[in-house]
Amino acid sequence: MKYDVVVVGAGPAGATAAEDLVRSGHRVAMLDRLGRIKPCGGAIPPRLIADFFIPDAQLVAKITTARMVSPTQRHVDIPIENGFVGMVDREHFDPFLRDRAVSAGADLIAGTFVRITRDADGSHVVYRDKETGDERTLSTKMIIGADGARSKVAAQCVPGGDKIPYVIAYHEIVEAPAANATYDPKRCDVIYDGKISPDFYGWIFPHGGQASIGMGSLVKSVDVKQATADLRAAHGLTDCKTIRREGAPIPLKPLDRWDNGSDVVLAGDAAGVVAPSSGEGIYYAMVGGRVAATAAAAKLKTGRAKDLQLARKLFMREHKQVFRVLGAMQNAYYRSDERRERFVSLCHDVDVQKLTFEAYMNKALVKARPMAHLKIGIKNLAHLSGLVSVTRT
């Protein structure tokens, strides 16, 4: 059989792309190693739940408060008004998305991507079969590379795809304790502490009967396992039973190009679409899968290679400004513990809280409150220039 599209990688990006394409009448195969669980805090905003029809049964927790913790253990609790942040466990969420794509008509193939070859008959994805270890081939017209931050598809086919910078993320899934003075099953804790991560943050995210505890860092000398152990100890979680441990690279910025001008387009982590500052990836991965499917369908219909550029154009049209603001925030506040203290101080501001979570929930910058933006801008300048004390809100 010759497929219209072979999707390499069947995480949230790949599964979304595959489902969209089969629902629009295309023959699609998903190639995935299967059995791997990506380290992920698991937070998904209401917009994702609505846009991608995520059933309530997939939500292992509903978060109503976010706690920002400074290097000196000062903290501010930010209520999530008029809604909640959903939490999913990738152990179950990814198979749910894959199964939904298969139910729509996609073929799921268990194997490891090896290379792409081309001849007069078209493009061919060579993979190693998971069960037999034999090399096999899928013939196709188009390939979507959704195979993660160190994407082999990107490295082989897309200029710059082998040079994407990334953070190493690591977490441990543990049995959650009963609610107590330091752990709230309806609260996400974000820890800004250079001893845990010198350039990113640590997290404690409830997953119902379990919790995700982890951190990330670009600094290669950081011992991520020890940092996570220190995080657990600091929050009274050392004795919680560890269920599993996972680590993986998380990209830091979108690639400048997402296609090869012929038969390949990237999606999700392979394209670098993880939000700066927050590290949020599930929503952007699924949007990336959707726009990659749109670009692939356009190319199949028109035969114009330039239609593959639609993926990046559509994504950046809606999210470029958000990424730019979050990137500036990360560059400004994650560089030292003194700056992290100032960032947590800034989070005490009610306007900061409301604008931040309105933007997160709706995935767009809020423009309806110019005076609030002006006040926040002035406070930012005051903190970054050192004109006010570290603890000034």
Side-chain angles (χ1 to χ4, degrees), residues 55-67:
D56 200 64
Q58 281 298 312
L59 304 182
V60 293
K62 294 180 179 180
I63 301 303
T64 55
T65 305
R67 170 170 287 185

Side-chain angles (χ1 to χ4, degrees), residues 22 66 93 99 104 179 181 189 198 233 279 312 316-317 340 376 384 388:
V22 294
F93 187 64
D99 290 347
D189 292 4
R312 193 177 192 280
M316 289 301 179
R317 180 183 300 167
R340 294 182 186 96
I376 292 168
L384 294 175
V388 298

